[in-house]
Amino acid sequence: MSDETKYIHAGRHKKWTKGIVNPPIFRASTIIYDTVEEMDHALKNMHKNTLFYGRKGTDTHFALMEAMKEIEGCAGAWFYPSGLAACTGAIMAFAGAGDHILVTDSVYEPTKKFCKSNLKNMGVEVEFYDPMIGSDIESLIRPNTKIIFTEAPSSVTMEVQDIPAITKVARKHDIVVILDNTWATPALFDAYGHGVDVVVHAATKYFIGHSDAMIGIATANDKCWARLRDHNQQMGYCASADDVYMVLRGIRTLKLRLKQHEENALKVASWLKRQDIVDKTLHPAFEDCLGHENWKRDFSGSSGLFSFTFNCGGRQAVSALLDHLKLFKMGFSWGGYESLVMGLYDLKKSRDAKVWEEKNPLLRLHIGLEEPDDLIADLAQAFEIYRQYI
Ligand SMILES: *Cc1c(COP(=O)(O)O)cnc(C)c1O
């Protein structure tokens, strides 16, 4: 079955949908039992998609768990109140006091903050590594290394890591590889096919797709699912049936939306590449982007998020440009239908393992579903403002 068809039908089993196209939103705390036998049955089967207690999910949640298995090939999936909670929850599930973990230097900034503060306080030693390290990661492995945390591409500087090279080394040393797959989603990168053990998604982004809900998902392969599940159940992580429903709804159009995000982003990036004030187009499909070769080899497409650097100008020029953009709004997060822009001035401070060499300003764009020519016209008029400051 083609992926396009799979995304339409995943998780839509009659036992969850009750014969409706979409599964109903079942809100619950208490589940009530008429007999002791019924209650015992629920107790015995609580991890087998059987109603037990609201925190452990209702049919709406079970439908999304099934959908994730079908579209991603994971052994199990669970839901977190945000993407960040899925990242930190997955790390805590596999590392404790006295352990050492390796985290890509290009990791999502709040994940890095957690590693440097809370995780450190829990007695876990965190070492950041050059995102482009590839199989040389073996030289950093210690007897107590438990996790290699990866993110491909990074969500600001866009380096595409060599995931197969890293998972190959990790398997040899029995280390768990976690991947933050938010940029690609299962639609553009087959994490389990490339040897990853645990995948985290900020479903807030493309799964939801409309900038109107916060939710995280962590999934695992057969080897890691029981441990990930025990951790998230003991921690009490859960997401509301309403938000879970929104993810299910988003999955139906995920492939289609990503195709359009890709096409639009490539058009805008190609235009940027031709501008005299642009230095590097940091889009995985462009050679300027570190790890472009890895993207070409391992990914089936690109999404709508990328960055570029100027070859001139500074903070003042960038601020003037940002103030004059009309369609591109400034805002955190991305993955919705709308275009967004973010100016980044001081990337050096965000690096611990390897210096970020670019001296000129970097702009991150999320290309939405608007007509790309309109977006290009918006950028073109703002570039004229930029030129007044150089
Ligand atoms: C946004 C994001 C997160 C966090 O997701 P939230 O739902 O905003 O908490 C994690 N990782 C990456 C790569 C992200 O872009």
Side-chain angles (χ1 to χ4, degrees):
M1 196 196 291
S2 74
D3 270 359
E4 278 69 13
T5 308
K6 210 186 270 177
Y7 277 64
I8 300 302
H9 293 280
R12 284 179 49 212
H13 306 304
K14 209 163 186 176
K15 62 182 163 177
W16 319 130
T17 63
K18 320 295 174 194
I20 305 169
V21 172
N22 295 293
I25 299 170
F26 285 104
R27 292 181 173 152
S29 56
T30 302
I31 313 292
I32 44 181
Y33 310 101
D34 289 333
T35 63
V36 172
E37 193 190 345
E38 264 184 25
M39 194 165 190
D40 285 346
H41 178 266
L43 252 169
K44 277 201 198 89
N45 293 286
M46 67 166 116
H47 292 316
K48 295 179 189 152
N49 294 356
T50 301
L51 285 175
F52 174 71
Y53 181 52
R55 195 177 61 234
K56 293 178 182 293
T58 62
D59 287 1
T60 318
H61 299 74
F62 305 152
L64 180 55
M65 286 173 78
E66 279 303 311
M68 288 306 295
K69 285 190 200 174
E70 289 173 39
I71 68 174
E72 194 182 44
C74 56
W78 193 243
F79 317 114
Y80 297 71
S82 69
L84 180 59
C87 294
T88 59
I91 293 172
M92 285 189 284
F94 296 95
D99 290 340
H100 167 252
I101 73 167
L102 291 163
V103 178
T104 177
D105 206 18
S106 57
V107 73
Y108 178 64
E109 191 64 27
T111 305
K112 185 174 254 193
K113 208 174 235 176
F114 162 80
C115 288
K116 285 181 175 176
S117 52
N118 291 58
L119 200 58
K120 198 168 150 234
N121 294 342
M122 289 161 64
V124 178
E125 191 181 346
V126 181
E127 183 175 347
F128 297 102
Y129 65 88
D130 175 357
M132 300 318 295
I133 199 167
S135 55
D136 288 345
I137 193 130
E138 190 152 28
S139 65
L140 301 179
I141 288 172
R142 305 180 194 169
N144 62 338
T145 305
K146 293 291 159 64
I147 295 173
I148 301 174
F149 194 97
T150 60
E151 191 178 315
S154 134
S155 67
V156 174
T157 44
M158 307 308 294
E159 298 98 326
V160 185
Q161 294 197 259
D162 189 342
I163 300 297
I166 290 173
T167 57
K168 196 171 161 205
V169 169
R171 202 164 312 121
K172 208 166 102 189
H173 295 269
D174 201 23
I175 294 167
V176 172
V177 175
I178 305 176
L179 169 71
D180 184 332
N181 198 24
T182 299
W183 183 87
T185 82
L188 302 178
F189 183 68
D190 174 14
Y192 292 108
H194 288 95
V196 171
D197 299 298
V198 174
V199 183
V200 290
H201 302 283
T204 308
K205 310 278 167 65
Y206 284 123
F207 276 92
I208 290 283
H210 294 70
S211 307
D212 53 2
M214 306 287 309
I215 182 167
I217 304 176
T219 69
N221 60 10
D222 269 322
K223 188 180 85 177
C224 294
W225 172 237
R227 183 155 170 181
L228 182 73
R229 185 193 65 202
D230 285 351
H231 183 264
N232 61 47
Q233 295 303 301
Q234 285 162 22
M235 293 297 282
Y237 291 123
C238 58
S240 77
D242 300 69
D243 292 341
V244 161
Y245 178 88
M246 297 289 267
V247 176
L248 272 166
R249 192 163 86 154
I251 284 175
R252 308 309 167 205
T253 56
L254 183 61
K255 293 279 295 185
L256 187 66
R257 283 184 284 114
L258 281 173
K259 254 185 223 167
Q260 198 63 51
H261 282 293
E262 173 172 44
E263 189 184 313
N264 294 3
L266 286 172
K267 261 193 192 169
V268 174
S270 304
W271 178 84
L272 285 165
K273 180 92 194 128
R274 296 194 300 270
Q275 304 311 302
D276 58 344
I277 57 172
V278 170
D279 184 19
K280 294 203 169 83
T281 309
L282 302 176
H283 183 303
F286 285 65
E287 279 171 14
D288 293 352
C289 189
L290 282 171
H292 162 71
E293 294 303 322
N294 297 331
W295 173 81
K296 230 164 60 180
R297 186 191 60 201
D298 302 333
F299 288 63
S300 61
S302 53
S303 63
L305 189 82
F306 69 94
S307 299
F308 68 94
T309 57
F310 289 100
N311 56 23
C312 56
R315 204 180 178 106
Q316 240 196 334
V318 173
S319 298
L321 173 144
L322 292 173
D323 285 349
H324 282 82
L325 282 167
K326 294 182 176 74
L327 292 175
F328 285 92
K329 305 292 184 198
M330 266 181 278
F332 296 99
S333 202
W334 43 274
Y337 54 79
E338 79 288 8
S339 289
L340 294 167
V341 61
M342 182 75 78
L344 292 123
Y345 313 97
D346 218 352
L347 284 165
K348 279 201 186 72
K349 278 195 195 136
S350 70
R351 290 306 162 109
D352 295 88
K354 190 167 185 293
V355 180
W356 177 250
E357 310 276 2
E358 299 294 332
K359 286 177 189 63
N360 288 315
L362 178 147
L363 231 61
R364 185 183 80 175
L365 300 178
H366 178 254
I367 305 300
L369 303 177
E370 300 95 335
E371 166 58 45
D373 287 341
D374 294 334
L375 297 174
I376 289 168
D378 193 25
L379 286 168
Q381 62 85 20
F383 270 32
E384 287 312 313
I385 307 288
Y386 196 92
R387 286 195 176 90
Q388 292 169 18
Y389 288 81
I390 58 179

